[in-house]
Amino acid sequence: MLGVRAYERELRPLLGQAAAYARALLRNRDDAEDAIQQAALRAWERIEQYDEARPFKGWWFAILRNCCFDVMRHRSKSRTDSLDGVDPPDDRESGPLDWESLDAGLGRLAPAHQEILHLRYYGALSYADLAEALGIPRGTVMSRLHLARKALAAQLHEEDL
Amino acid sequence: MNPVEPEELSAFLDGELDAERVREVEMQIAADPALLRAFEALSGADAAWRAAAATAIFEPAVELPATGSRPSWLVASAPLIVALVLLRMAPKLIESPVFGFGLHAIALAALLAAIIRLMWADSRSMSASI
């Protein structure tokens, strides 16, 4: 079982990519930080369940993914509960950012394709990590990622026309 | 040599093929202009998407559990369990009021120690910042 120092050593290099992944999913920097904070603590609470023979990054990103979904659910509930119905502020600036342009293309793909491309491009997960995070065989990762890339290329090409 | 499957082109780009298959794919790309064009298109798009995704990276402020503070509830609760067992067994095992009182005192001290340990572990569990 990983000790706290080993856990921190494994986690620290992932935080930048985790931030990009959560930011793309939640489209809000503060929400992304909340999700990462939750994932950091939730993973530590469940460290006994982590099998060191399996990829840590994939295991941790599976937890982060669930934390992002929790934040989304909480956010939509907050919006429903709020009296004025105003969306929480986000960090979007006046001009489109590069990652937002990519995300706009991703947003029109099938959910399974969006999911694998988010993890691959924002989280920089390897095939082994993707298999662990999504709970699918490596062969499925390979074919799904290829189809997702084709769909994204077609989508962005369509937008350019 | 098996022909290159479309998804293998992706895996080749991602560095996810074994060394032998990498050599085979390289040879086929070199020999087939259509395959080369397909690979170059995929490679160019991939580089652009990776660069775009990288602009979303930021360093999040995250707090981790402090070193050595992880609450092991079983270990922390052990004195509490011992205290409860002693309190339950004491009247049956020792009839002397003096020994009985002493045993109760030890059990209560263990109980207090368990409570303090649990409170301390809880207060330290989120105190180290990255």
Side-chain angles (χ1 to χ4, degrees), chain B residues 9-91:
Chain B
L9 219 47
S10 267
F12 174 72
L13 175 72
D14 295 329
E16 294 276 357
L17 293 180
D18 63 51
E20 189 185 345
R21 192 60 182 152
V22 165
R23 277 195 299 277
E24 291 176 359
V25 172
E26 280 172 347
M27 284 168 62
Q28 292 188 50
I29 287 176
D32 182 347
L35 196 58
L36 176 63
R37 277 195 301 277
F39 176 69
E40 284 176 345
L42 182 66
S43 174
D46 178 73
W49 297 337
R50 271 190 287 120
T55 63
I57 291 174
F58 68 96
E59 208 50 50
V62 176
E63 291 184 350
L64 282 185
T67 303
S69 70
R70 186 165 182 275
S72 170
W73 293 100
L74 188 64
V75 172
S77 305
L80 179 64
I81 294 164
V82 170
L84 291 174
V85 169
L86 285 175
L87 283 170
R88 183 78 185 90
M89 302 286 286

Side-chain angles (χ1 to χ4, degrees), chain A residues 1 4-5 7-8 11-12 15-16 19-20 23 29 32-33 36-37 40-41 44-45 47-48 98-99 102 120-122 126-127 138 142-143 145-146 149 152-153 156, chain B residues 6-14 16-17 42 45-46 49-68 70-71 125-126 129-130:
Chain A
M1 190 183 83
V4 72
R5 285 187 189 282
Y7 174 66
E8 188 179 337
L11 182 57
R12 193 187 291 272
L15 290 176
R23 186 186 201 180
R29 191 175 164 135
E33 264 186 347
I36 293 164
Q37 178 65 74
L41 294 177
W44 177 241
E45 286 165 10
I47 201 71
E48 281 124 350
D98 287 346
W99 69 269
L102 173 63
R120 175 67 192 170
Y121 284 105
Y122 293 103
S126 69
Y127 285 19
R138 195 176 179 283
M142 194 158 88
S143 53
L145 188 55
H146 180 70
R149 276 174 164 150
L152 178 60
L156 294 178
Chain B
E7 62 266 27
E8 280 187 307
L9 219 47
S10 267
F12 174 72
L13 175 72
D14 295 329
E16 294 276 357
L17 293 180
L42 182 66
D46 178 73
W49 297 337
R50 271 190 287 120
T55 63
I57 291 174
F58 68 96
E59 208 50 50
V62 176
E63 291 184 350
L64 282 185
T67 303
R70 186 165 182 275
S125 67
M126 291 173 59
S129 179
I130 287 179

Side-chain angles (χ1 to χ4, degrees), chain A residues 1-15 39-40 43-44 46-47 49-64 125-126 128-130 132-133, chain B residues 64:
Chain A
M1 190 183 83
L2 291 182
V4 72
R5 285 187 189 282
Y7 174 66
E8 188 179 337
R9 250 195 328 271
E10 294 278 357
L11 182 57
R12 193 187 291 272
L14 309 184
L15 290 176
W44 177 241
R46 297 176 185 175
I47 201 71
Q49 296 167 18
Y50 170 60
D51 175 0
E52 289 184 56
R54 304 178 79 169
F56 177 83
K57 188 173 183 178
W59 176 77
W60 193 82
F61 263 75
I63 293 171
L64 173 61
L125 268 67
S126 69
D129 289 320
L130 287 168
E132 179 72 24
Chain B
L64 282 185

Side-chain angles (χ1 to χ4, degrees), chain A residues 58-136:
Chain A
W59 176 77
W60 193 82
F61 263 75
I63 293 171
L64 173 61
R65 181 168 155 255
N66 287 333
C67 289
C68 287
F69 293 151
D70 288 348
V71 169
M72 276 182 209
R73 273 193 291 273
H74 182 257
R75 191 167 63 183
S76 56
K77 186 176 183 305
S78 300
R79 281 177 181 168
T80 307
D81 291 347
S82 70
L83 293 173
D84 57 11
V86 174
D87 287 350
D90 67 19
D91 60 347
R92 265 181 260 176
E93 293 165 11
S94 51
L97 298 173
D98 287 346
W99 69 269
E100 289 185 309
S101 304
L102 173 63
D103 222 46
L106 283 169
R108 294 181 185 88
L109 304 184
H113 288 170
Q114 282 184 41
E115 192 166 52
I116 200 164
L117 290 175
H118 267 124
L119 287 166
R120 175 67 192 170
Y121 284 105
Y122 293 103
L125 268 67
S126 69
Y127 285 19
D129 289 320
L130 287 168
E132 179 72 24
L134 296 171
I136 56 177

